[in-house]
Amino acid sequence: ENPQKSFLCHHNRKQKYREKMVAHRLIIALLVVHSSGSVAGFGVPSLRSFRPTSALNLEDHIADMIDKELYRLQHMQEFEDEWNKKNAAVLDTKLPEQLDLGDDTLSEPVLHKQIVRDRKLAEKNPQMYCADRCVATGNCDVYEDMFDLSPSEVMNFCEECVLSEDEEPCDVPDKFLEEFSPYDLKP
């Protein structure tokens, strides 16, 4: 045999062996990378997962608050029953029979404010008071109290003296003249 031919055969075998080894190493490296995702030094696969984490990193008191609210929502009927039981005495709709509220006690603050407004209106503008409160609504309490007149006398006074367009003299109560000047009665 030819030594050169033998050398080439041996060299070709070594070359093919090297190529196969390189191919095997590449395949193994690809398999390791593909199966583990990443490779640390010297081909040791890392243990890190590529799944996204679902941790919320909440403080304990916030997590407890969320847990309690979830429990409350899941057991709503129990909570409603407990609330109704606690508040049954407070929310009792029946009033005691011996309790007498009277009509005056409930409307007293509203009436007091209205009387104060009526007095101011009667003092500042008698014509407006007579027109808006006395003649329109029949509520002449301020003039009834001020002049010691009956409701019909106050209505006559308002219609004949305060709201009258006539120039004729009218019967003005004496107490009115003490309280107001005659120039307040302008038609």
Short mmCIF file of all heavy atoms in Angstrom, two decimals, residues 155-182:
data_model
loop_
_atom_site.label_atom_id
_atom_site.label_comp_id
_atom_site.label_asym_id
_atom_site.label_seq_id
_atom_site.Cartn_x
_atom_site.Cartn_y
_atom_site.Cartn_z
N MET A 155 -107.68 92.32 58.39
CA MET A 155 -107.95 92.25 56.95
C MET A 155 -108.58 93.56 56.47
O MET A 155 -108.20 94.08 55.42
CB MET A 155 -108.89 91.08 56.63
CG MET A 155 -108.23 89.72 56.79
SD MET A 155 -107.02 89.43 55.53
CE MET A 155 -108.03 88.69 54.30
N ASN A 156 -109.52 94.10 57.24
CA ASN A 156 -110.14 95.37 56.86
C ASN A 156 -109.09 96.48 56.84
O ASN A 156 -109.07 97.31 55.93
CB ASN A 156 -111.27 95.74 57.82
CG ASN A 156 -112.50 94.90 57.58
OD1 ASN A 156 -112.70 94.37 56.50
ND2 ASN A 156 -113.34 94.78 58.61
N PHE A 157 -108.24 96.51 57.86
CA PHE A 157 -107.19 97.52 57.94
C PHE A 157 -106.27 97.43 56.72
O PHE A 157 -105.96 98.44 56.09
CB PHE A 157 -106.40 97.36 59.23
CG PHE A 157 -105.12 98.13 59.27
CD1 PHE A 157 -105.14 99.52 59.39
CD2 PHE A 157 -103.90 97.49 59.16
CE1 PHE A 157 -103.97 100.25 59.42
CE2 PHE A 157 -102.72 98.22 59.18
CZ PHE A 157 -102.76 99.59 59.30
N CYS A 158 -105.85 96.22 56.38
CA CYS A 158 -104.95 96.04 55.24
C CYS A 158 -105.63 96.46 53.94
O CYS A 158 -105.04 97.17 53.11
CB CYS A 158 -104.49 94.59 55.13
SG CYS A 158 -103.16 94.17 56.28
N GLU A 159 -106.86 96.04 53.73
CA GLU A 159 -107.55 96.34 52.48
C GLU A 159 -107.92 97.82 52.36
O GLU A 159 -107.80 98.42 51.29
CB GLU A 159 -108.81 95.47 52.36
CG GLU A 159 -108.47 94.01 52.10
CD GLU A 159 -109.70 93.11 52.18
OE1 GLU A 159 -110.80 93.58 52.54
OE2 GLU A 159 -109.54 91.91 51.88
N GLU A 160 -108.40 98.45 53.47
CA GLU A 160 -108.88 99.83 53.41
C GLU A 160 -107.76 100.86 53.53
O GLU A 160 -107.84 101.92 52.92
CB GLU A 160 -109.92 100.08 54.50
CG GLU A 160 -111.21 99.30 54.28
CD GLU A 160 -112.18 99.46 55.44
OE1 GLU A 160 -111.91 100.28 56.36
OE2 GLU A 160 -113.20 98.77 55.44
N CYS A 161 -106.74 100.56 54.35
CA CYS A 161 -105.71 101.58 54.62
C CYS A 161 -104.41 101.32 53.87
O CYS A 161 -103.88 102.22 53.21
CB CYS A 161 -105.42 101.64 56.11
SG CYS A 161 -106.84 102.15 57.09
N VAL A 162 -103.88 100.14 54.01
CA VAL A 162 -102.54 99.87 53.47
C VAL A 162 -102.58 99.64 51.97
O VAL A 162 -101.77 100.21 51.23
CB VAL A 162 -101.90 98.66 54.20
CG1 VAL A 162 -100.52 98.37 53.64
CG2 VAL A 162 -101.83 98.90 55.69
N LEU A 163 -103.49 98.84 51.48
CA LEU A 163 -103.51 98.48 50.06
C LEU A 163 -104.48 99.32 49.24
O LEU A 163 -104.56 99.14 48.03
CB LEU A 163 -103.87 96.99 49.91
CG LEU A 163 -102.91 96.00 50.59
CD1 LEU A 163 -103.44 94.59 50.47
CD2 LEU A 163 -101.53 96.10 49.96
N SER A 164 -105.19 100.23 49.85
CA SER A 164 -106.20 101.02 49.15
C SER A 164 -105.54 102.04 48.24
O SER A 164 -104.56 102.68 48.58
CB SER A 164 -107.09 101.73 50.17
OG SER A 164 -107.98 102.58 49.52
N GLU A 165 -106.14 102.23 47.06
CA GLU A 165 -105.69 103.22 46.09
C GLU A 165 -106.39 104.55 46.33
O GLU A 165 -106.01 105.58 45.77
CB GLU A 165 -105.96 102.73 44.66
CG GLU A 165 -105.24 101.46 44.28
CD GLU A 165 -103.77 101.72 43.96
OE1 GLU A 165 -103.43 102.81 43.48
OE2 GLU A 165 -102.96 100.80 44.19
N ASP A 166 -107.46 104.51 47.13
CA ASP A 166 -108.25 105.72 47.38
C ASP A 166 -107.50 106.69 48.27
O ASP A 166 -106.66 106.30 49.08
CB ASP A 166 -109.59 105.35 48.05
CG ASP A 166 -110.45 104.46 47.16
OD1 ASP A 166 -110.26 104.53 45.93
OD2 ASP A 166 -111.27 103.71 47.71
N GLU A 167 -107.87 107.95 48.15
CA GLU A 167 -107.27 108.99 48.98
C GLU A 167 -108.10 109.24 50.23
O GLU A 167 -107.79 110.11 51.02
CB GLU A 167 -107.16 110.30 48.17
CG GLU A 167 -106.21 110.20 47.00
CD GLU A 167 -104.75 110.10 47.44
OE1 GLU A 167 -104.39 110.69 48.47
OE2 GLU A 167 -103.97 109.43 46.74
N GLU A 168 -109.16 108.48 50.39
CA GLU A 168 -110.04 108.67 51.54
C GLU A 168 -109.33 108.25 52.82
O GLU A 168 -108.55 107.31 52.84
CB GLU A 168 -111.32 107.82 51.37
CG GLU A 168 -112.15 108.20 50.18
CD GLU A 168 -113.35 107.28 50.04
OE1 GLU A 168 -113.75 106.63 51.02
OE2 GLU A 168 -113.88 107.22 48.93
N PRO A 169 -109.65 108.93 53.93
CA PRO A 169 -109.04 108.55 55.20
C PRO A 169 -109.59 107.21 55.66
O PRO A 169 -110.72 106.84 55.36
CB PRO A 169 -109.43 109.67 56.16
CG PRO A 169 -110.53 110.42 55.51
CD PRO A 169 -110.50 110.10 54.04
N CYS A 170 -108.77 106.50 56.39
CA CYS A 170 -109.20 105.20 56.90
C CYS A 170 -108.98 105.18 58.40
O CYS A 170 -108.31 106.04 58.97
CB CYS A 170 -108.45 104.07 56.22
SG CYS A 170 -106.69 104.11 56.52
N ASP A 171 -109.54 104.16 59.02
CA ASP A 171 -109.46 104.03 60.48
C ASP A 171 -108.17 103.29 60.83
O ASP A 171 -108.10 102.07 60.69
CB ASP A 171 -110.69 103.28 60.98
CG ASP A 171 -110.79 103.31 62.50
OD1 ASP A 171 -110.19 104.21 63.11
OD2 ASP A 171 -111.45 102.42 63.05
N VAL A 172 -107.16 104.02 61.29
CA VAL A 172 -105.87 103.44 61.64
C VAL A 172 -105.86 103.18 63.14
O VAL A 172 -106.18 104.08 63.93
CB VAL A 172 -104.71 104.39 61.26
CG1 VAL A 172 -103.38 103.80 61.67
CG2 VAL A 172 -104.74 104.69 59.78
N PRO A 173 -105.48 101.99 63.58
CA PRO A 173 -105.43 101.71 65.01
C PRO A 173 -104.40 102.61 65.70
O PRO A 173 -103.36 102.95 65.14
CB PRO A 173 -104.99 100.25 65.08
CG PRO A 173 -105.25 99.69 63.73
CD PRO A 173 -105.18 100.82 62.77
N ASP A 174 -104.71 103.02 66.93
CA ASP A 174 -103.83 103.91 67.69
C ASP A 174 -102.46 103.28 67.91
O ASP A 174 -101.44 103.97 67.86
CB ASP A 174 -104.47 104.27 69.04
CG ASP A 174 -105.71 105.11 68.86
OD1 ASP A 174 -105.79 105.83 67.83
OD2 ASP A 174 -106.59 105.06 69.74
N LYS A 175 -102.44 102.02 68.19
CA LYS A 175 -101.16 101.36 68.44
C LYS A 175 -100.27 101.38 67.20
O LYS A 175 -99.05 101.45 67.31
CB LYS A 175 -101.38 99.92 68.92
CG LYS A 175 -100.14 99.29 69.48
CD LYS A 175 -100.45 98.10 70.31
CE LYS A 175 -99.16 97.61 70.91
NZ LYS A 175 -99.33 96.56 71.83
N PHE A 176 -100.89 101.35 66.03
CA PHE A 176 -100.11 101.41 64.80
C PHE A 176 -99.41 102.75 64.68
O PHE A 176 -98.26 102.83 64.26
CB PHE A 176 -101.01 101.16 63.58
CG PHE A 176 -100.25 101.11 62.29
CD1 PHE A 176 -99.62 99.95 61.88
CD2 PHE A 176 -100.16 102.24 61.49
CE1 PHE A 176 -98.92 99.90 60.70
CE2 PHE A 176 -99.44 102.21 60.30
CZ PHE A 176 -98.82 101.03 59.90
N LEU A 177 -100.11 103.81 65.04
CA LEU A 177 -99.52 105.14 64.97
C LEU A 177 -98.36 105.29 65.96
O LEU A 177 -97.42 106.04 65.72
CB LEU A 177 -100.57 106.20 65.21
CG LEU A 177 -101.65 106.30 64.12
CD1 LEU A 177 -102.71 107.31 64.52
CD2 LEU A 177 -101.04 106.69 62.80
N GLU A 178 -98.42 104.56 67.07
CA GLU A 178 -97.33 104.59 68.04
C GLU A 178 -96.09 103.87 67.49
O GLU A 178 -94.96 104.28 67.71
CB GLU A 178 -97.76 103.94 69.35
CG GLU A 178 -98.83 104.69 70.09
CD GLU A 178 -99.39 103.89 71.27
OE1 GLU A 178 -98.83 102.81 71.59
OE2 GLU A 178 -100.39 104.34 71.84
N GLU A 179 -96.30 102.79 66.74
CA GLU A 179 -95.21 101.96 66.24
C GLU A 179 -94.58 102.52 64.97
O GLU A 179 -93.38 102.50 64.79
CB GLU A 179 -95.69 100.53 65.95
CG GLU A 179 -96.09 99.75 67.16
CD GLU A 179 -94.87 99.20 67.91
OE1 GLU A 179 -93.84 98.93 67.27
OE2 GLU A 179 -94.99 99.08 69.13
N PHE A 180 -95.42 103.00 64.04
CA PHE A 180 -94.94 103.39 62.71
C PHE A 180 -95.25 104.86 62.44
O PHE A 180 -96.19 105.41 63.00
CB PHE A 180 -95.60 102.55 61.61
CG PHE A 180 -95.31 101.07 61.75
CD1 PHE A 180 -96.28 100.23 62.28
CD2 PHE A 180 -94.08 100.55 61.37
CE1 PHE A 180 -96.02 98.88 62.39
CE2 PHE A 180 -93.84 99.21 61.50
CZ PHE A 180 -94.80 98.36 62.01
N SER A 181 -94.54 105.41 61.50
CA SER A 181 -94.87 106.78 61.08
C SER A 181 -95.95 106.68 60.01
O SER A 181 -96.03 105.69 59.29
CB SER A 181 -93.61 107.45 60.54
OG SER A 181 -93.59 107.50 59.17
N PRO A 182 -96.79 107.69 59.87
CA PRO A 182 -97.88 107.62 58.88
C PRO A 182 -97.34 107.58 57.45
O PRO A 182 -98.05 107.19 56.54
CB PRO A 182 -98.68 108.90 59.11
CG PRO A 182 -98.03 109.64 60.20
CD PRO A 182 -96.87 108.87 60.69
#
